Amino acid sequence: MRVDLGCGRSVHRGCVGLDRTAFEGVEAVHDFREPLPFPDNSVDFLIASRSLEYADDLPAVLKEIYRVCRHLAVVCILAPHSASSFHLADPGSKSRFNEFTPFYLTPSQNHGELYFPRDYASLPLYLEPDAFSNREDPDYDFRLLRMEVFYLDDYANPLFDAEERLQLLQSQWNAAGEILYHFAVVKEPLAPGDLMRLIVGGFEEPDRVAERRRTDSAGAVPVSGEPPLAANGGAASEPGSPLLREEARIGPAPPARRKSSRPSAPKKRTRPPVPVRAGSGPKPRPAQKTGSKIGTKSRKRP
């Protein structure tokens, strides 16, 4: 079974639409804040596009999602970023999502596997020391497969590299508007390659994101990872896509790079060429006479 949780007026393709309002196409009229009307281990794919931020008790909703999903089911969540003042002003928005959310959706013993290549390599450095030492582990286990941040126009600029954007994201408001996650539901011990097979298989994403990729005019390209799958099974975004995004995926950590202790050589400054106006250059030297030598008088022929 495939479920679109809080689908609203647009049900994701091939999914059972669940919403508390009986819009056209909604098959299960139900408030997702109540226990879900699905059997245990019956869902293969669940998508929640801009709905979970309205959950009064997010852990309770996540626990229900975990119950109805089978082992290695994929859960896709699109939510407003917590540092967006526009979304924060929404009085109906109760739950917050950002790049640290994956640390709270899996037991702390799995945090070492939450490795973010390139784009978020230094993200764990922003965590407080022993941040999870006094916290109880959640009753569910959602392992991050991929995370994507959608930056606002002022920061969707190729002049910023991934590390600079991450620093801006940690220090300033309104750097990002939305965040997209893909999680794997883990209920049994993982075999080698289980998560990697899900990653290689590609990702479905909300139509809202696919439309944004087509219309965004930031003029940047993806910085890492393979493009997710589109509705027709092809790539949702190809190299050269105008949408700037930062992606993160699970994988083996590369060896740490050692910084050189040698001071970097100062860059040589080059002066721009001085424009020469017509007639202002140096005058040509007069041609010497044939047979004459510098410093001597020319001899007269008899």
Side-chain angles (χ1 to χ4, degrees), residues 157-196:
N157 192 315
L159 296 178
F160 294 108
D161 59 28
E163 183 64 25
E164 289 172 334
R165 288 194 190 92
L166 180 58
Q167 293 177 2
L168 290 171
L169 202 59
Q170 302 305 309
S171 60
Q172 297 192 26
W173 283 86
N174 300 318
E178 292 179 316
I179 188 165
L180 176 68
Y181 314 92
H182 286 87
F183 295 100
V185 175
V186 177
K187 293 187 172 183
E188 303 172 7
L190 291 173
D194 278 349
L195 299 183
M196 189 55 62

Side-chain angles (χ1 to χ4, degrees), residues 91-275:
S93 181
K94 305 295 177 60
S95 299
R96 306 287 175 251
F97 296 85
N98 60 25
E99 56 276 12
F100 293 102
T101 298
F103 289 96
Y104 293 89
L105 303 190
T106 186
S108 57
Q109 64 184 14
N110 301 321
H111 288 178
E113 299 180 14
L114 293 179
Y115 165 69
F116 304 95
R118 282 177 38 177
D119 315 330
Y120 299 93
S122 61
L123 183 61
L125 298 179
Y126 293 93
L127 291 172
E128 297 179 3
D130 301 327
F132 299 92
S133 59
N134 296 323
R135 297 182 62 92
E136 294 184 2
D137 286 336
D139 297 326
Y140 36 77
D141 189 356
F142 296 95
R143 304 285 181 91
L144 181 69
L145 299 174
R146 177 171 171 264
M147 181 173 68
E148 183 174 350
V149 174
F150 297 94
Y151 287 84
L152 299 180
D153 290 343
D154 290 343
Y155 301 94
N157 192 315
L159 296 178
F160 294 108
D161 59 28
E163 183 64 25
E164 289 172 334
R165 288 194 190 92
L166 180 58
Q167 293 177 2
L168 290 171
L169 202 59
Q170 302 305 309
S171 60
Q172 297 192 26
W173 283 86
N174 300 318
E178 292 179 316
I179 188 165
L180 176 68
Y181 314 92
H182 286 87
F183 295 100
V185 175
V186 177
K187 293 187 172 183
E188 303 172 7
L190 291 173
D194 278 349
L195 299 183
M196 189 55 62
R197 277 190 289 271
L198 294 176
I199 293 173
V200 173
F203 301 98
E204 291 188 55
E205 57 186 17
D207 293 336
R208 176 190 182 96
V209 172
E211 180 63 25
R212 180 173 181 173
R213 297 191 197 284
R214 289 191 292 267
T215 59
D216 195 282
S217 58
V221 298
V223 294
S224 69
E226 296 296 328
L229 294 182
N232 58 4
S237 58
E238 300 294 342
S241 166
L243 179 65
L244 178 63
R245 64 190 190 277
E246 307 288 11
E247 294 181 324
R249 295 192 179 192
I250 192 170
R257 296 181 180 178
R258 296 183 179 179
K259 295 184 179 180
S260 175
S261 58
R262 298 179 180 178
S264 58
K267 296 181 179 180
K268 295 182 180 180
R269 297 183 178 179
T270 57
R271 296 182 179 179
V274 180

